[in-house]
Amino acid sequence: QQFLNLVGITEKQVNEAKDLQVINECKILKGTEYKRKFKEKIKYFYAPNLEIICEDQWRGCTSLVRVYCPKIKKVNYGAFFYCDKIVDFDLPLLEYADTHSFTRCDSIKRFYFPSLLQAIMSFYICSNLEQFIAPKLREMKGGCFSGCKKLKMVNAPNLQAVDKSVFRECQNLKIVVAPSVVKVECDCKRCPMCTGFTTEMPFVKEIKGQKSTFKQSMLKLEFNVRYQGQATDSIVQL
């Protein structure tokens, strides 16, 4: 209902509309899957029944501003590649984001995916992205956020593994909240994971294939993480 109010459409209009009909610059999709690619200059897509987003489905739709797809669990390769005007995604059930699925979504400042579990090089060069929140995310692969130069914060409390180059060129990234991480292969040399671990990642066991050394006491957890021959010490108050 919130989406419909935003674009100025009533539920009655949606119910009476034909599949693929356009109302107030919003295309109504009533099907569960479409093999075609949407290339027309449409600002909004309302797809309450859509279950599958195919490869390159909206690739290069530079007029697209918002989409409503509440049943989607997987976004396939390049689905929103270079949708540089889009400002919001309503994908509450999304679990898997494939390669380049959100690459160059340059107007997005904040991603929030409450159900996302895995992302593979999915948010490459989102040039204005500042915050990323995914409470169920477990794994990041490839250059997931590579080139996101304005990224400041990543909140992924269930994240367990970080692949290499995930945060390459994210020079403004200051906060990574990931208390469940046990393996890091990032090699950007700039992000919090590479420059020193803090309270956000107290259980890291491995970085770049090298095991960390741990010393525990009742008051503090001290651990030394070796990165390319240099030791980084962090103190965490328990």
Side-chain angles (χ1 to χ4, degrees):
Q1 185 64 46
Q2 184 178 0
F3 182 90
L4 295 180
N5 290 338
L6 184 68
V7 300
I9 299 175
T10 65
E11 290 188 15
K12 181 179 179 181
Q13 286 177 300
V14 171
N15 293 334
E16 293 177 351
K18 296 180 180 179
D19 188 30
L20 301 176
Q21 183 175 337
V22 177
I23 306 174
N24 287 358
E25 298 185 281
C26 178
K27 176 159 283 193
I28 311 297
L29 306 182
K30 294 193 172 184
T32 58
E33 181 181 3
Y34 295 85
K35 297 295 185 181
R36 57 169 292 183
K37 298 176 183 178
F38 298 108
K39 294 294 184 181
E40 57 268 60
K41 294 183 178 180
I42 299 292
K43 283 188 176 182
Y44 310 103
F45 277 82
Y46 182 74
N49 301 314
L50 193 65
E51 296 178 355
I52 299 174
I53 295 182
C54 299
E55 289 189 8
D56 300 325
Q57 190 101 70
W58 279 283
R59 186 186 184 104
C61 288
T62 56
S63 297
L64 186 62
V65 176
R66 294 177 186 269
V67 295
Y68 178 77
C69 307
K71 293 185 178 181
I72 291 297
K73 291 188 176 182
K74 179 180 179 180
V75 174
N76 283 295
Y77 178 91
F80 294 102
F81 188 102
Y82 203 62
C83 292
D84 62 339
K85 298 292 192 305
I86 199 162
V87 296
D88 190 30
F89 290 93
D90 198 333
L91 303 170
L93 299 182
L94 180 65
E95 295 180 352
Y96 179 84
D98 203 352
T99 306
H100 292 307
S101 48
F102 298 97
T103 290
R104 294 305 305 267
C105 289
D106 291 333
S107 294
I108 285 282
K109 291 187 176 182
R110 179 180 181 269
F111 275 119
Y112 173 63
F113 295 116
S115 303
L116 186 64
L117 300 176
Q118 186 181 55
I120 303 178
M121 200 174 179
S122 310
F123 311 100
Y124 186 69
I125 317 182
C126 289
S127 60
N128 284 298
L129 180 63
E130 296 181 0
Q131 296 183 356
F132 179 85
I133 303 171
K136 294 184 179 180
L137 184 65
R138 297 175 184 170
E139 187 174 19
M140 296 178 184
K141 288 187 175 182
C144 199
F145 294 98
S146 184
C148 295
K149 296 182 178 181
K150 293 186 179 181
L151 184 63
K152 297 178 181 179
M153 185 272 286
V154 172
N155 189 338
N158 282 296
L159 185 64
Q160 298 175 8
V162 179
D163 204 356
K164 62 182 179 180
S165 302
V166 164
F167 297 116
R168 181 169 290 174
E169 296 184 51
C170 296
Q171 57 262 43
N172 287 307
L173 181 61
K174 304 299 181 185
I175 300 173
V176 177
V177 180
S180 300
V181 167
V182 295
K183 183 177 181 181
V184 177
E185 294 185 1
C186 184
D187 57 359
C188 75
K189 302 180 184 180
R190 292 182 177 181
C191 77
M193 291 188 172
C194 291
T195 59
F197 294 96
T198 61
T199 54
E200 287 83 9
M201 290 172 287
F203 303 117
V204 173
K205 300 293 193 303
E206 184 177 322
I207 180 169
K208 293 290 289 181
Q210 300 183 33
K211 291 184 178 180
S212 306
T213 60
F214 287 79
K215 296 179 181 179
Q216 297 190 48
S217 71
M218 293 182 64
L219 297 178
K220 65 183 180 181
L221 169 63
E222 177 180 358
F223 54 94
N224 305 314
V225 179
R226 295 191 175 275
Y227 180 74
Q228 294 187 347
Q230 296 182 349
T232 301
D233 297 339
S234 297
I235 305 296
V236 180
Q237 297 297 328
L238 296 180

